[in-house]
Amino acid sequence: MSKEEQSITSLWNMFTKKMWLDSFKMKSKLKNYNPSEIHCIEHIGKYEDSNVTKLAEAFDMTRGAISKLSKKLIKKGLIESYQKSDNKKEVCFKLTKQGKEIYNIHEEMHREFKDRDQPFFEQVTEEQLDIIIDFAEKYNRHLDAEIKKVGVKMKVDNL
């Protein structure tokens, strides 16, 4: 296996393991909610005046899909819709008390994941992190250029 293949395989294995471990723990505490619901709750909790258009852009989903998801969250009592006084046409979302509880559980789990991994990162030097960041940024720019050549819009800012 070449160094290039080895580096991609090692990164893939690392991210796969992290995603599995994180999702395993998330599923135990947030078992009644799917990832789309959790991410939607997270976005609404972080960004004031979230609406269908903003959520669709953030998740690279259609407005129709977000509309369906938001109706589901409203039915579950996790979010509620409102209109701003200066724009009666635009419908925005905010978390309900129950939605805030789910948001807080999700945020606490992210803190737990960070705390879990902190002992490892304490062993990594600043120089090693700089090398990893430089590699990742350069490779991401390369992949962005390749995606642009394909001509398909892909939004990965929230991954």
Side-chain angles (χ1 to χ4, degrees), residues 99-110:
K100 287 177 185 175
E101 290 171 8
I102 299 302
Y103 174 84
N104 289 334
I105 290 169
H106 182 256
E107 291 300 300
E108 177 57 33
M109 297 204 70
H110 278 288

Side-chain angles (χ1 to χ4, degrees), residues 40 43-44 50-60 66 93:
C40 192
H43 192 277
I44 292 169
S50 290
N51 60 28
V52 169
T53 301
K54 290 176 185 175
L55 290 167
E57 289 173 1
F59 300 125
D60 196 26
I66 293 295
F93 303 108

Side-chain angles (χ1 to χ4, degrees), residues 65-157:
I66 293 295
S67 182
K68 184 176 177 182
L69 176 60
S70 63
K71 286 177 185 172
K72 189 175 176 184
L73 293 173
I74 289 170
K75 188 175 181 181
K76 287 185 173 188
L78 300 171
I79 66 171
E80 58 189 20
S81 62
Y82 68 94
Q83 293 175 313
K84 296 190 286 186
S85 58
D86 62 335
N87 185 351
K88 295 292 184 187
K89 190 176 177 184
E90 182 180 24
V91 176
C92 297
F93 303 108
K94 64 181 178 180
L95 299 178
T96 62
K97 183 180 178 192
Q98 185 182 352
K100 287 177 185 175
E101 290 171 8
I102 299 302
Y103 174 84
N104 289 334
I105 290 169
H106 182 256
E107 291 300 300
E108 177 57 33
M109 297 204 70
H110 278 288
R111 285 188 288 277
E112 286 178 24
F113 301 154
K114 185 176 180 185
D115 291 346
R116 174 199 66 204
D117 295 340
Q118 191 57 40
F120 170 79
F121 282 103
E122 288 172 359
Q123 302 171 43
V124 179
T125 67
E126 192 82 20
E127 182 182 15
Q128 289 170 321
L129 288 173
D130 288 340
I131 290 168
I132 293 167
I133 292 166
D134 182 59
F135 170 81
E137 288 175 349
K138 286 178 181 173
Y139 193 50
N140 272 308
R141 284 192 297 272
H142 163 73
L143 294 174
D144 287 342
E146 292 301 312
I147 290 168
K148 193 173 184 177
K149 285 180 191 176
V150 174
V152 176
K153 181 183 171 226
M154 181 180 183
K155 186 166 184 86
V156 293
D157 296 342

